[in-house]
Amino acid sequence: MAAPGEFFAGIPKITYLPSAGPADVLCFKHYNAEEVLMGRKMEDWLRFSVCYWHSFCGTGADPFGDQTHQWPWNEGTPMESAKKRLRAAFEFFTKLGVKYYTFHDRDMAPEGSTLEESNRNLDEITDLALELQSQTGVKVLWVTCNLFAHPRYMNGAATNPDCHVLAYAGAQVKKGLDIAKKLGAENFVFWGGREGFLSIHNTDVAAELNHMASFFRMAVQYKEKIGAKCQFLIEPKPKEPCRHQYDYDAMSVIGFLKHYGLENHFKLNIEPNHTTLAGHSYEHDIVMASAFGMLGSVDSNTGSPDLGWDTDQFPMDIRNTTMVMKTVLEQGGLQPGGLNFDAKVRRESTDLEDLFIAHIGAMDAFARGLRNAVHIIEDGLIAGMVRERYSSFSHGLGQKVEDGSATLEEMECRSIHVKEKTALK
Ligand code: XUL
Ligand code: CO
């Protein structure tokens, strides 16, 4: 029997039961939130977050078929169902034991017929969000603005050829930052949904990139003006919906930020499914962003290696989660970022409990990845091999290359009488 206002009746608080059998799917077999590894609780290394758009707004529709999910919160007027959805989401976060969530402005509250009405809707729904946050202790990992779904954004937002559209996007981000501050969001994400092009022939690439940089500068100024504390994050993606997107991958975004002098104001939110769409391995952008001190957060999902599009599946591959967690451990954690499940249950997963099973599976996969990464780091074998591989840079000429003081003349001097065999040693 459902308690009044309960959406997930019959589903208990999910606990750690390592000895549970294979048929027991509503428990964690590996994720033990309180367990301390390398000086920190598992939950603090992993900082899991549930995403609002897939898990609570997703309908199961795809380009070939209509809605398959009949969720009980989708009832009443758009504002009524927005409130039901929020209550259902907080029941879910609490039962799952996840302390963070993420949302777009437009999936939290419906868009009105004017900006003013949209803002009013957001105010009303986020009042309720604030109340539920303080009742449960669940926090916002990040907020983002949906600058890609409405028809006005069909040619982009910050890179739109029409300045009026850029202005609308700016107004939306201004409100998004107010909301982020109100809810104490720890980060704020910019995903360049349609910031790119379908045809290079009608696109002034240099102008669009300049506009995008100006747009980000305005956001930095406003964030500082209102004293919002959230870390700005850019989420790279190479394509889809555009044929080419400017935030192609980690290195493109880092190059862009450095070119425009914005690198101190932003980090990256890496989504591995996007990384593989860019032709890289799963962990590539995690490693690259971290190497430059720019890994801020992770949209923990996966695609299928045999597909060329963004399927946003729950990550279940232990090899991948190990590689991610090894990088996270090596950089000392992800805080204030986290592991956000930008992932959706399949169109065919039509039971409410599937939402739990999917998250539990992915959380266990990350817990196993964390344990593996701890072993790899603690036994030190790989780190020792890597150190040895670069040992020639720890003294003499190598040290001078390392600190940038070496010259080509010194290289010549060192190499001229050395037989190749010795030089290669
Ligand atoms: C799209 C995507 C988005 C962003 C937020 O591919 O990943 O959901 O994470 O806008
Ligand atoms: Co994402």
Side-chain angles (χ1 to χ4, degrees):
M1 258 281 284
E6 193 182 22
F7 292 91
F8 299 96
I11 300 197
K13 170 118 181 67
I14 308 300
T15 55
Y16 176 55
L17 285 176
S19 57
D24 296 325
V25 287
L26 290 175
C27 60
F28 298 116
K29 292 167 189 149
H30 303 275
Y31 176 57
N32 184 14
E34 295 293 314
E35 185 179 330
V36 174
L37 293 169
M38 284 178 67
R40 199 176 283 178
K41 285 187 197 169
M42 263 190 153
E43 67 171 3
D44 296 330
W45 281 121
L46 296 163
R47 293 171 61 84
F48 289 129
S49 162
V50 172
C51 96
Y52 208 67
W53 53 100
H54 285 315
S55 291
F56 291 91
C57 307
T59 64
D62 70 11
F64 306 94
D66 300 338
Q67 170 169 6
T68 55
H69 299 156
Q70 309 296 337
W71 303 141
W73 46 86
N74 289 328
E75 282 172 9
T77 65
M79 283 300 273
E80 281 164 0
S81 65
K83 287 182 189 169
K84 283 200 183 116
R85 180 176 302 121
L86 198 58
R87 290 189 186 281
F90 273 79
E91 182 188 332
F92 181 79
F93 307 151
T94 316
K95 286 187 167 169
L96 188 63
V98 164
K99 300 237 170 102
Y100 291 96
Y101 72 111
T102 55
F103 66 92
H104 298 79
D105 50 357
R106 299 295 180 249
D107 42 60
M108 166 76 65
E111 177 142 14
S113 52
T114 61
L115 182 66
E116 211 188 355
E117 189 185 336
S118 303
N119 288 353
R120 255 201 323 276
N121 290 349
L122 257 179
D123 288 338
E124 193 175 325
I125 304 295
T126 51
D127 281 348
L128 178 61
L130 200 57
E131 202 180 304
L132 294 167
Q133 283 181 208
S134 65
Q135 271 168 28
T136 58
V138 173
K139 296 186 269 192
V140 178
L141 185 72
W142 52 258
V143 177
T144 187
C145 288
N146 184 327
L147 305 177
F148 46 88
H150 192 280
R152 82 172 71 83
Y153 295 127
M154 65 183 158
N155 287 302
T159 61
N160 198 290
D162 182 344
C163 179
H164 301 91
V165 179
L166 184 149
Y168 204 99
Q172 218 178 303
V173 166
K174 177 174 178 288
K175 184 66 180 174
L177 284 166
D178 291 336
I179 294 299
K181 187 183 174 203
K182 169 176 171 180
L183 297 182
E186 300 192 14
N187 304 270
F188 190 94
V189 165
F190 295 88
W191 168 56
R194 294 182 196 272
E195 314 296 17
F197 51 81
L198 289 169
S199 168
I200 195 77
H201 300 299
N202 66 1
T203 305
D204 185 339
V205 170
E208 291 197 359
L209 286 167
N210 277 330
H211 301 165
M212 190 156 87
S214 296
F215 190 84
F216 286 139
R217 262 184 224 112
M218 290 187 256
V220 169
Q221 275 164 13
Y222 188 70
K223 180 185 122 174
E224 283 170 0
K225 180 175 163 194
I226 63 171
K229 294 281 172 283
C230 48
Q231 167 69 52
F232 275 169
L233 300 170
I234 294 181
E235 183 176 324
K237 186 173 183 182
K239 55 187 166 188
E240 198 199 3
C242 288
R243 177 178 166 202
H244 174 85
Q245 297 192 187
Y246 293 128
D247 299 332
Y248 195 89
D249 61 1
M251 289 309 286
S252 314
V253 175
I254 292 170
F256 167 86
L257 290 171
K258 290 203 187 261
H259 180 78
Y260 287 100
L262 287 162
E263 70 272 23
N264 296 330
H265 299 286
F266 290 83
K267 286 190 174 181
L268 272 52
N269 181 39
I270 299 297
E271 178 167 323
N273 196 168
H274 297 174
T275 309
T276 51
L277 283 182
H280 303 307
S281 65
Y282 187 91
E283 67 276 9
H284 177 275
D285 273 7
I286 301 270
V287 173
M288 296 307 276
S290 182
F292 285 84
M294 298 290 271
L295 178 64
S297 202
V298 180
D299 265 6
S300 322
N301 66 8
T302 188
S304 287
D306 52 342
L307 291 179
W309 69 95
D310 193 12
T311 48
D312 287 337
Q313 299 169 49
F314 281 86
M316 303 287 177
D317 182 320
I318 314 302
R319 181 241 172 239
N320 290 342
T321 58
T322 301
M323 291 304 289
V324 172
M325 290 318 296
K326 178 172 172 285
T327 308
V328 169
L329 290 172
E330 283 168 348
Q331 72 162 35
L334 269 179
Q335 61 287 346
L339 299 176
N340 174 51
F341 292 118
D342 186 355
K344 58 187 168 200
V345 291
R346 304 295 82 196
R347 174 175 169 75
E348 316 85 283
S349 294
T350 51
D351 294 338
L352 266 183
E353 75 168 16
D354 294 340
L355 271 176
F356 278 90
I357 296 170
H359 282 86
I360 292 168
M363 289 164 77
D364 266 348
F366 264 99
R368 292 177 75 181
L370 172 62
R371 289 185 200 281
N372 289 343
V374 168
H375 286 310
I376 292 171
I377 288 174
E378 283 183 341
D379 78 22
L381 202 68
I382 293 181
M385 288 158 88
V386 173
R387 250 194 325 277
E388 171 63 23
R389 189 160 186 251
Y390 294 93
S391 57
S392 65
F393 288 91
S394 61
H395 54 273
L397 199 56
Q399 175 102 66
K400 292 187 83 175
V401 173
E402 192 79 23
D403 66 29
S405 66
T407 64
L408 286 186
E409 288 83 345
E410 285 171 302
M411 300 297 115
E412 184 184 45
C413 205
R414 164 73 178 78
S415 309
I416 203 147
H417 301 301
V418 182
K419 290 197 181 122
E420 185 103 10
K421 232 171 141 188
T422 330
L424 284 176
K425 272 196 178 157

